[in-house]
Amino acid sequence: MKAMVVDDSRATRMILKRALSSQGFEVVEAADGRAALDELTKTGPVDLALVDWNMPVMTGYELICEVRARRELDRMAIMMVTTETEATQVQRALDAGANEYVMKPFTEDVLKEKLLLLGMGRE
Amino acid sequence: MPGIDAADAAFVRELVYKRAAILLDEQKGYLIESRLQQLVHEGVSQSVAALVADARSGRGEASVRIVEAITTHETFFFRDVEPFEALKKTVLPLLLPPGAPPRKLTLWSAACSSGQEPYSIAMMLLEHFPAAVAAGARIIATDLSAQILAKAREGRFRQLEVNRGLPAAYLVKYFDSAGGWWTLKSKVRALVEFRQLNLLDRWQLEARPDVIFMRNVLIYFDAATKRALLERARQEIRPDGALFLGTAETTLNLTEGWSRVATPKSAYYRPRPPGAGGLP
């Protein structure tokens, strides 16, 4: 399984990458939505993308809209991982096509439990 | 963190065994210490030593608070996912065959802690079995601890709690949020009836349960108590009912009163007819 971590914080990318690697994922990184989209366009869809909301250049929300508009990328599962904690924002992300949503701060257990909901990861 | 005196730890172990039949081995010293420290932080007593002294002399509610603090276990929404999938995809479709008038389901969450398990079942019923809800389905949720039941009844959870195991779609559909708290809507809370119950005492469930969730409970008990609880559950459950145990729990080597039904990633148990039970 291949995953992409999209977050402008290098520290957060490292934490997420480590957690996903321990769940058996091969992980690539991107520092904003545009970089993620360029990489996906070049290499094709990943199985799972963990996407921050607030990033420079292109936000995570915009990235989700772009991915869901492209048939060749649409099969990806997308989990938003963000400091946005309002119910309206969660709803917006789901409406745009996010499959799951994690509110920061979170623990590695939170991530594992969300992966199980998506039928991914190790039990 | 100040430690706990060895004699005090032994007293607490004996107290918890007498009141709740839960065996705490010597390796569980950290658990006793951390849970009693929490009570001290909450202002129940000046120190761990004073708390244990109060329990020894029968002062106030010290012994009740100690037993409750130690027997309360971690929980989260849709824990392990699979039991809830099996309930949704296998067990409930068998109990609610298409075309038949929906039966009035009773589901029992036998050690519900702060409520995530019964509320997960309630949300799943509302989402996938609205006819069963309309027919009067209810969830009886019991726990030993009065304090944790008070929290459960509120149906109010912090962000970290709703982050754990809860599908985001359910979060926005079944909760209201305000000031960092997420509160379950009344239609979810209305399906769950919380009651204090020590599993070692008489069970007064009124209706025989169709489904029992007794998950992550047996692991704390000795073999004789496990066997007794499984036999009582078999007498209590309806003949076509289903029992869900924790991932690390089984009826194997305890009783032949239950037959194991494998699901894609786990299992549940069906009661065998009376007379089939007893020791393997």
Side-chain angles (χ1 to χ4, degrees):
Chain A
M1 299 277 266
K2 192 171 176 184
M4 176 180 272
V5 172
V6 191
D7 198 302
D8 56 334
S9 157
R10 189 167 172 269
T12 304
R13 289 201 306 273
M14 278 181 64
I15 290 167
L16 290 172
K17 185 177 181 179
R18 196 170 54 217
L20 287 174
S21 298
S22 76
Q23 292 292 303
F25 284 91
E26 177 196 338
V27 186
V28 292
E29 299 177 41
D32 63 70
R34 171 55 59 193
L37 196 59
D38 289 347
E39 178 71 13
L40 291 167
T41 305
K42 202 164 63 186
T43 60
V46 290
D47 299 293
L48 168 72
L50 301 189
V51 180
D52 186 19
W53 192 303
N54 298 300
M55 293 179 288
V57 190
M58 179 189 277
T59 68
Y61 179 80
E62 290 164 338
L63 172 63
I64 293 174
C65 294
E66 287 284 344
V67 167
R68 291 303 181 223
R70 296 184 184 199
R71 185 184 271 185
E72 72 278 14
L73 298 178
D74 191 37
R75 71 166 180 84
M76 289 169 47
I78 303 178
M79 195 188 300
M80 203 104 202
V81 183
T82 171
T83 52
E84 296 287 340
T85 57
E86 292 296 319
T88 50
Q89 295 293 75
V90 181
Q91 187 66 62
R92 262 186 88 200
L94 294 177
D95 289 345
N99 302 89
E100 262 307 330
Y101 198 99
V102 170
M103 294 180 276
K104 292 177 183 173
F106 62 95
T107 62
E108 198 169 325
D109 283 340
V110 168
L111 197 62
K112 282 183 199 165
E113 288 147 18
K114 290 284 187 178
L115 289 175
L116 280 184
L117 289 176
L118 296 176
M120 295 176 167
R122 294 172 177 155
E123 299 193 24
Chain B
M1 183 192 289
I4 181 168
D5 179 84
D8 282 353
F11 170 80
V12 169
R13 270 196 284 273
E14 196 181 326
L15 176 71
V16 171
Y17 186 71
K18 273 191 195 150
R19 298 278 179 91
I22 288 174
L23 283 170
L24 297 165
D25 57 33
E26 302 276 333
Q27 280 75 45
K28 289 285 196 316
Y30 71 90
L31 174 81
I32 295 173
E33 193 177 324
S34 67
R35 296 288 171 92
L36 299 197
Q37 277 294 346
Q38 184 59 38
L39 290 178
V40 172
H41 287 150
E42 289 170 15
V44 174
S45 189
Q46 300 267 312
S47 66
V48 168
L51 182 66
V52 177
D54 283 348
R56 279 184 198 274
S57 62
R59 270 195 294 276
E61 295 221 311
S63 58
V64 172
R65 295 298 299 271
I66 288 173
V67 172
E68 287 191 357
I70 287 174
T71 55
T72 300
H73 57 267
E74 183 199 52
T75 183
F76 45 92
F77 290 100
F78 294 96
R79 184 171 182 176
D80 302 325
V81 181
E82 175 66 13
F84 299 90
E85 287 295 298
L87 182 64
K88 178 175 79 182
K89 292 180 178 162
T90 310
V91 172
L92 290 181
L94 285 171
L95 294 176
L96 304 165
R103 77 201 237 183
K104 191 177 168 187
L105 286 175
T106 299
L107 303 101
W108 177 27
S109 168
C112 68
S113 196
S114 40
Q116 283 91 330
E117 180 178 277
Y119 287 135
S120 296
I121 298 171
M123 287 184 277
M124 192 272 285
L125 287 179
L126 284 165
E127 192 72 23
H128 298 284
F129 300 93
V133 172
R138 63 180 186 154
I139 300 153
I140 309 294
T142 62
D143 201 275
L144 178 64
S145 164
Q147 206 188 11
I148 203 75
L149 284 169
K151 173 176 163 40
R153 274 191 196 98
E154 286 185 346
R156 206 165 69 113
F157 298 92
R158 289 208 175 273
Q159 185 179 302
L160 184 61
E161 293 173 302
V162 296
N163 239 354
R164 299 202 61 185
L166 183 67
Y170 283 13
L171 178 69
V172 291
K173 190 168 180 181
Y174 295 113
F175 287 78
D176 293 313
S177 73
W181 289 92
W182 296 78
T183 305
L184 275 157
K185 291 184 190 289
S186 56
K187 65 179 173 184
V188 182
R189 295 210 309 274
L191 290 181
V192 186
E193 187 183 323
F194 290 98
R195 290 187 208 163
Q196 190 174 14
L197 176 74
N198 184 338
L199 288 172
L200 304 178
D201 296 341
R202 192 163 158 250
W203 301 349
Q204 290 176 301
L205 300 172
E206 291 153 25
R208 296 178 75 181
D210 301 279
V211 176
I212 300 177
F213 269 57
M214 194 178 279
R215 307 195 65 233
N216 308 299
V217 182
L218 295 181
I219 42 170
Y220 296 107
F221 296 121
D222 60 25
T225 309
K226 284 178 191 175
R227 191 175 294 127
L229 290 175
L230 287 167
E231 276 307 301
R232 285 170 70 186
R234 184 175 67 136
Q235 288 157 19
E236 202 72 37
I237 200 166
R238 288 179 61 157
D240 57 350
L243 167 72
F244 287 89
L245 300 176
T247 310
E249 295 165 329
T250 174
T251 62
L252 198 68
N253 298 326
L254 291 169
T255 170
E256 290 185 348
W258 294 91
S259 57
R260 186 177 186 275
V261 182
T263 59
K265 292 179 186 168
S266 178
Y268 66 92
Y269 298 85
R270 286 203 176 280
R272 289 204 169 108
L279 290 171

